[in-house]
Amino acid sequence: MASISCNAQEATTKPQFTHADTLRGSLTAERAWWNVLRYDITVKPDYANKRIEGCNIIEYDTKNYPEVPVMQIDLQQPMTIDSIIYLTYKIDYKRDGDAYFLTLLKASQKNQRGKIKIYFSGKPREATRPPWDGGWIFTKDKMGRPWMTAACEGLGASAWYPCKDYLGDEPDSGASLSITVPDTLIAVGNGRLKDKKINADGTITYQWAVVNPINNYNIIPYIGKYVTWHENYHGEKGNLDCDYWALDYNVEIAKSEFKAVDSMLKCFEYWFGPYPFYEDGYKLIEAPHLGMEHQSAIAYGNKFQKGYSGKDLSGSGWGMKWDFIIVHESGHEWFGNNITSKDLADEWIHESFTNYSETLYTEYYFGKQAGNEYNYGIRKNIENKTPIVGSYGVNNEPEGTDEYYKGGNMIHTIRQVIDNDNLFRQILRGLNKTFYHQTVSTKQIEDYISKEAKIDLSKVFDQYLRTIQIPVLEYKQDGYALSYRWANCVKGFAMPVKIIFKGSRRIVPTEKWQKLNLYPEGGNVFTVDKNFYITIKKID
């Protein structure tokens, strides 16, 4: 049989992007000169008319104040900005699709700090299939009472409130969210409850706040007939406040299912290091959709059952031993919320590591073989239609689900290449310590892992992140000799792999044929450790 070319193929069709895509996803000149320090958001939803109104006070600083300070603020249609106050002045602005441009006053000195106050209103995009097709969610609980929230990862926080909707700039000093609702409902937000104000018009305003940096799309209100309870978790950094919120008629079943949070925290603090937001606490909140990783306020909608909506994504049986949403969405607190990609094209940093957290959780509680079987089982979900890494500067969320399943298998493969679980764990913990509360690029993550592993993994990352080809280990057997090489690979690919041929051994194939001569000892059946995500092919 003819061998497969070593030159990996890229996806044949490239997506087309618009001017609006560039405004949304790039660090434009009107974004680059200023840095977000804090958001203070107020919102008042009108359930009957599916409208919201509110205000966002944006505090910022800059060390490179431009001669003509034009600022870009994002708010997606059909939402509109009603007015903008800068200093004591109402200022003018121009709209370009989903971006607003406002010219501020010239500064007399550098290191400028300032605030702008933006009033907004409208009917936000309504989610049709949350959390995947996101937006604001106006629904009812099973007793017919209003139940509201939002889910906007990928779509962007500017779907409902004005902000600098760019992943690379999080509010350094945190954010607050004040939610005004009828006094028959409860409103929950990220972080800790700072104030509860009873208003004269039959409404209550709940103010929640985080002190840590936070992704824009993670700032989310939850509104419904909630009941709450509190537990303490004694973790690596001391006491962690854990608060749980469920609809009043689900409290008892929720109290039982949410006990799994302790096991999740124990596992992930072991593998990844301390929970990254002790100051803001941990919350798990019942939501009217499957789930989302909203920082310190995880959305839970898995109906208090094991698996992913009652299914095992791996088909191995191990996925039915634990609640997928509690494990996966909480895993994002380390990868996605603590470590955040600067560009949506690098979202694999969020999803691949968090997918792999499922394998680590399975291994921690059911043994290494169970974790291996779970990881191998999810491999059947890989599509390989487009590269995992998307296009930069245009808010291009990678297509499909390969950033989950293929990315998780890539990390498992890298773990086999490192071949030292203590070192692998140190790398995972080191990532969360080195890039604590930071936004990062793919290169930073790749370089860190290669440096700490003392192995150049650049070609491995290129292969699995930037092509749709799976490397093929071609081999020939001639008596007691085994010949092998890599095919279907990027140039220079030389990933070590563990094989079984007259015993277990590691080899380092390249694109050129190599030969292994062995005396006739034991059987001569050739296999590869299936924890490596590769294909094998015998050449006659």
Side-chain angles (χ1 to χ4, degrees):
M1 181 179 291
S3 64
I4 302 174
S5 169
C6 265
N7 295 319
Q9 299 174 13
E10 301 289 345
T12 55
T13 59
K14 292 186 177 181
Q16 301 297 311
F17 299 108
T18 65
H19 169 65
D21 294 326
T22 301
L23 287 180
R24 171 75 174 81
S26 64
L27 188 60
T28 62
E30 293 80 12
R31 283 173 164 173
W33 64 270
W34 59 287
N35 166 63
V36 178
L37 294 176
R38 183 175 177 84
Y39 290 130
D40 288 295
I41 306 163
T42 63
V43 64
K44 183 177 182 180
D46 177 351
Y47 178 83
N49 296 301
K50 296 184 176 181
R51 291 180 58 87
I52 61 173
E53 63 179 36
C55 173
N56 188 10
I57 300 173
I58 303 176
E59 185 176 354
Y60 65 91
D61 68 1
T62 176
K63 294 182 179 179
N64 298 293
Y65 207 82
E67 183 67 23
V68 180
V70 179
M71 178 180 284
Q72 177 182 334
I73 298 293
D74 306 291
L75 184 63
Q76 297 177 34
Q77 301 177 67
M79 293 296 295
T80 59
I81 287 178
D82 300 321
S83 63
I84 302 176
I85 307 298
Y86 174 62
L87 300 175
T88 58
Y89 306 97
K90 181 182 288 188
I91 62 173
D92 294 329
Y93 48 84
K94 295 180 180 179
R95 184 168 196 169
D96 185 351
D98 293 334
Y100 289 77
F101 295 91
L102 39 145
T103 302
L104 305 184
L105 300 177
K106 292 182 180 180
S108 59
Q109 59 185 3
K110 294 185 178 180
N111 301 314
Q112 172 87 359
R113 293 174 68 99
K115 291 183 180 180
I116 54 172
K117 190 172 187 178
I118 307 174
Y119 292 92
F120 64 94
S121 64
K123 297 184 71 170
R125 169 173 166 167
E126 191 170 354
T128 56
R129 195 173 65 95
W132 304 280
D133 189 358
W136 196 275
I137 301 163
F138 297 93
T139 189
K140 295 180 180 180
D141 65 22
K142 71 179 185 180
M143 296 182 68
R145 303 168 301 189
W147 196 11
M148 293 172 277
T149 187
C152 54
E153 182 185 12
L155 174 63
S158 59
W160 70 273
Y161 71 89
C163 58
K164 184 179 183 179
D165 206 353
Y166 174 67
L167 279 176
D169 192 356
E170 299 178 344
D172 302 326
S173 301
S176 71
L177 176 60
S178 297
I179 314 157
T180 300
V181 297
D183 58 14
T184 56
L185 299 174
I186 306 294
V188 188
N190 310 81
R192 299 184 184 274
L193 182 63
K194 296 298 183 181
D195 191 29
K196 178 181 175 182
K197 180 182 178 183
I198 299 175
N199 305 312
D201 61 355
T203 63
I204 299 180
T205 300
Y206 295 84
Q207 185 187 56
W208 295 84
V210 297
V211 299
N212 291 301
I214 185 169
N215 301 339
N216 287 350
Y217 67 79
N218 275 334
I219 303 173
I220 294 293
Y222 300 84
I223 302 163
K225 290 293 288 186
Y226 285 110
V227 172
T228 186
W229 65 100
H230 175 87
E231 293 180 4
N232 293 323
Y233 176 78
H234 301 290
E236 288 195 15
K237 290 178 68 174
N239 180 67
L240 172 62
D241 290 314
C242 296
D243 292 284
Y244 304 97
W245 297 78
L247 295 179
D248 50 10
Y249 52 76
N250 282 332
V251 170
E252 292 309 312
I253 190 172
K255 282 185 175 181
S256 176
E257 188 65 15
F258 288 2
K259 289 182 184 299
V261 168
D262 268 24
S263 67
M264 174 276 297
L265 288 169
K266 182 179 179 181
C267 171
F268 290 166
E269 286 209 329
Y270 171 82
W271 281 108
F272 303 146
Y275 175 74
F277 308 107
Y278 270 74
E279 301 84 356
D280 297 322
Y282 172 93
K283 288 199 296 298
L284 191 62
I285 306 167
E286 186 178 357
H289 58 83
L290 185 60
M292 271 292 296
E293 64 265 28
H294 302 139
Q295 185 173 310
S296 73
I298 303 297
Y300 176 88
N302 204 34
K303 300 181 180 178
F304 313 106
Q305 60 187 334
K306 300 297 185 287
Y308 175 95
S309 292
K311 300 177 182 178
D312 178 6
L313 293 177
S314 75
S316 68
W318 295 112
M320 292 303 295
K321 302 290 187 181
W322 40 271
D323 190 311
F324 180 93
I325 293 301
I326 291 176
V327 170
H328 179 91
E329 301 303 348
S330 299
H332 275 302
E333 292 282 51
W334 286 264
F335 291 97
N337 298 346
N338 183 39
I339 305 174
T340 306
S341 64
K342 290 181 180 292
D343 194 295
L344 199 60
D346 289 336
E347 196 179 38
W348 76 271
I349 297 169
H350 303 195
E351 300 299 351
S352 299
F353 282 100
T354 304
N355 174 273
Y356 195 62
S357 75
E358 302 160 24
T359 294
L360 295 174
Y361 183 89
T362 304
E363 174 181 331
Y364 190 86
Y365 287 104
F366 304 103
K368 192 166 186 176
Q369 183 59 31
N372 290 343
E373 289 173 3
Y374 179 83
N375 185 265
Y376 185 80
I378 62 173
R379 200 175 291 181
K380 62 181 172 55
N381 302 316
I382 297 172
E383 299 175 317
N384 277 320
K385 291 182 179 178
T386 59
I388 290 177
V389 171
S391 300
Y392 291 97
V394 288
N395 204 57
N396 175 223
E397 188 171 15
E399 296 180 17
T401 57
D402 280 358
E403 61 183 341
Y404 299 82
Y405 310 116
K406 183 180 178 183
N409 268 271
M410 175 190 72
I411 293 169
H412 195 55
T413 298
I414 289 172
R415 179 181 178 183
Q416 312 312 310
V417 172
I418 294 172
D419 198 30
N420 181 330
D421 282 352
N422 287 331
L423 176 57
F424 179 70
R425 176 177 170 237
Q426 290 173 23
I427 290 171
L428 294 177
R429 292 175 64 93
L431 283 168
N432 279 281
K433 183 177 181 180
T434 301
F435 302 110
Y436 184 72
H437 292 177
Q438 293 183 32
T439 61
V440 301
S441 67
T442 282
K443 187 176 188 311
Q444 287 175 280
I445 299 299
E446 292 180 26
D447 289 351
Y448 179 88
I449 296 173
S450 288
K451 178 184 176 183
E452 297 302 314
K454 296 181 171 58
I455 302 170
D456 182 0
L457 296 164
S458 59
K459 298 298 181 181
V460 178
F461 284 114
D462 283 346
Q463 182 76 37
Y464 290 102
L465 293 179
R466 300 178 179 89
T467 81
I468 59 173
Q469 308 304 109
I470 303 307
V472 176
L473 183 61
E474 294 184 337
Y475 71 98
K476 303 175 186 177
Q477 284 185 254
D478 182 14
Y480 303 125
L482 174 74
S483 298
Y484 53 86
R485 71 174 180 183
W486 284 121
N488 204 39
C489 55
V490 296
K491 186 176 181 181
F493 189 76
M495 185 178 75
V497 65
K498 185 183 293 183
I499 65 169
I500 309 297
F501 183 69
K502 299 182 180 297
S504 176
R505 65 191 73 246
R506 285 169 67 89
I507 59 173
V508 186
T510 66
E511 298 159 76
K512 296 182 179 180
W513 285 107
Q514 299 180 56
K515 183 176 287 188
L516 181 64
N517 288 299
L518 296 170
Y519 289 106
E521 54 186 57
N524 64 350
V525 176
F526 173 78
T527 59
V528 175
D529 184 340
K530 68 179 185 179
N531 289 301
F532 290 83
Y533 178 40
I534 65 171
T535 300
I536 58 175
K537 180 170 291 188
K538 185 176 183 180
I539 304 298
D540 297 325

